């Protein structure tokens, strides 16, 4: 089986977002965490290699992205996709332009597009300007981002600062005329010496037409929305079957548990809702800081309460409590203390027999996935926008020492409705 689409994402949750989009559009997809050191799976239509290359030095981002590209090329992928944030998170030093340029060169190609639009989440592009909801990117909250403040909504100008090749624009009036007109505009821009085209997009139907116009480009760059139109290209030439069950995951039994380390508003509401209805254990960060062995306490508690209703183990606190701990330990040390404890708890829970696990919090998810030794996630059904169920094979986790699947939902702190922890299980077979 050929892997059709090889993707490189510049961060972990961005990779999951893209992978979920591909599954919904009918491609069986696996997400790999970091550049793989072995062969890629051969029973999927798309692979997403998730890097942590958004804000590292540009040279490192380029090197890692090229290593990921090598792995994808070795697996025979037919088309390549560089996924970045829908708010084009980058600085004049990179890394979007630099990585795109390196990938173009490695693929011996002379043209690609840049389209971070994600209309379902309010990211649209009009006359080359990126809007976040009703405001221009540079007037949105992104202007205050601590690492990649975005102060200019003009993507042609922003990208041009990061690359040497010329950047052009395929504007709304062209996109509205459909795939053939868009492809003709790309040809025109190439003739004018452009190496990149920022592409306007206001709706999912625009993204479908743009996708169709990109069928023969070796490399695409964009947010996750641009992926919407790609599966249809492969279907049109008979390479992709209409997989009704692109998101089917191996069945998992076992106990159910939620580990929450996010203190974001949505997670606080979800914790409060679940505490009313399920057994819960507070991983009290102040007690952790006092040196209490809360990992042992939590696992003892879980052993006594597991097997029935899903368990909730949470460090989630109010902003005041977070500030107090940060004042006591320092921001980084406070975060690491809680993350390490929750990761050890997640590890212990799996040993106790948890087979279906929700983790709340981006950094917390990263710590848990690392502690569990997860290198690859099969992407399953969507729970809510941006959060799919996934499945990881854990080596040696079964009682007989064999590999065992673990169903994992990694929830970004601010995603999901208040009853997320109670209802997410319904999406599992
Ligand atoms: P989100 O996705 O909401 O940003 P993250 O897991 O990425 O969630 O970040 C939350 C951070 O806060 C983690 O580093 C976690 O360990 C830390 N944390 C959780 N509870 C507390 C607390 N009570 N005090 C200080 N830090 C905390």
């Amino acid at each position: 089986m050929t892997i059709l689409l090889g993707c490189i994402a510049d961060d972990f949750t961005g990779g999951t977002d893209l992978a979920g989009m591909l599954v919904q559009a009918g491609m069986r997809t696996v997400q790999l965490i970091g550049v793989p050191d072995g062969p890629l799976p051969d029973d999927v239509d798309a692979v997403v290699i998730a890097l942590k290359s958004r804000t590292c030095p540009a040279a490192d981002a380029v090197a890692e992205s090229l290593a990921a590209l090598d792995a994808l090329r070795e697996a025979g992928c037919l088309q390549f996709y560089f996924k970045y944030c829908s708010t084009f998170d980058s600085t004049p030093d990179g890394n979007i332009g630099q990585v795109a340029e390196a990938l173009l060169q490695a693929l011996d190609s002379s043209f690609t597009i840049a389209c971070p639009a994600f209309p379902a989440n309010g990211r649209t592009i009009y006359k080359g300007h990126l809007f976040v909801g009703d405001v221009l990117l540079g007037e949105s909250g992104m202007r205050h981002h601590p690492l990649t403040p975005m102060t200019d909504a003009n993507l042609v100008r922003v990208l041009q600062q990061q690359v040497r090749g010329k950047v052009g624009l395929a504007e709304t009036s062209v996109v509205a005329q459909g795939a053939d007109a868009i492809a003709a505009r790309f040809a025109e821009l190439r003739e004018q010496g452009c190496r990149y085209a920022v592409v306007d997009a206001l709706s999912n139907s625009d993204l479908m037409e743009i996708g169709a116009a990109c069928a023969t480009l070796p490399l695409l760059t964009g947010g996750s929305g641009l992926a919407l139109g790609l599966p249809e290209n492969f279907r049109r030439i008979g390479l992709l079957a209409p997989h009704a069950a692109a998101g089917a995951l191996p069945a998992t039994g076992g106990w159910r548990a939620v580990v929450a380390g996010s203190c974001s508003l949505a997670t606080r509401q979800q914790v409060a809702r679940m505490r009313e209805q399920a057994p819960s254990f507070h991983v009290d960060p102040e007690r952790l800081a006092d040196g209490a062995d809360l990992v042992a306490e939590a696992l003892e508690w879980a052993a006594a309460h597991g097997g029935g209703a899903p368990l909730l183990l949470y460090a989630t606190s109010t902003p005041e409590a977070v500030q107090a701990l940060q004042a006591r330990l320092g921001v980084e040390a406070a975060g690491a203390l809680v993350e390490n404890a929750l990761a050890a708890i997640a590890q212990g829970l799996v040993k106790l027999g948890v087979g279906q696990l929700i983790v709340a919090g981006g950094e917390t998810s990263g710590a848990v996935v690392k502690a569990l030794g997860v290198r690859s996630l099969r992407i399953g059904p969507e729970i809510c926008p941006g959060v799919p169920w996934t499945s990881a094979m854990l080596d040696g986790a079964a009682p007989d020492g064999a590999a065992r699947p673990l169903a994992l939902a990694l929830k970004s702190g601010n995603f999901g409705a208040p009853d997320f922890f109670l209802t997410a299980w319904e999406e599992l077979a």
Side-chain angles (χ1 to χ4, degrees), residues 260-264 267 285 315-318 321-323 325-326 331 334-340 342 360-365 411-414:
S262 160
C263 301
S264 297
T267 302
T316 307
S317 310
T318 59
V322 173
Q323 269 171 18
L325 190 74
Q326 288 177 340
V331 174
L337 178 76
V338 177
E339 278 168 39
N340 290 340
L342 293 180
E363 295 299 325
T364 309
S365 293
K411 190 191 78 72
S412 216
N414 254 329

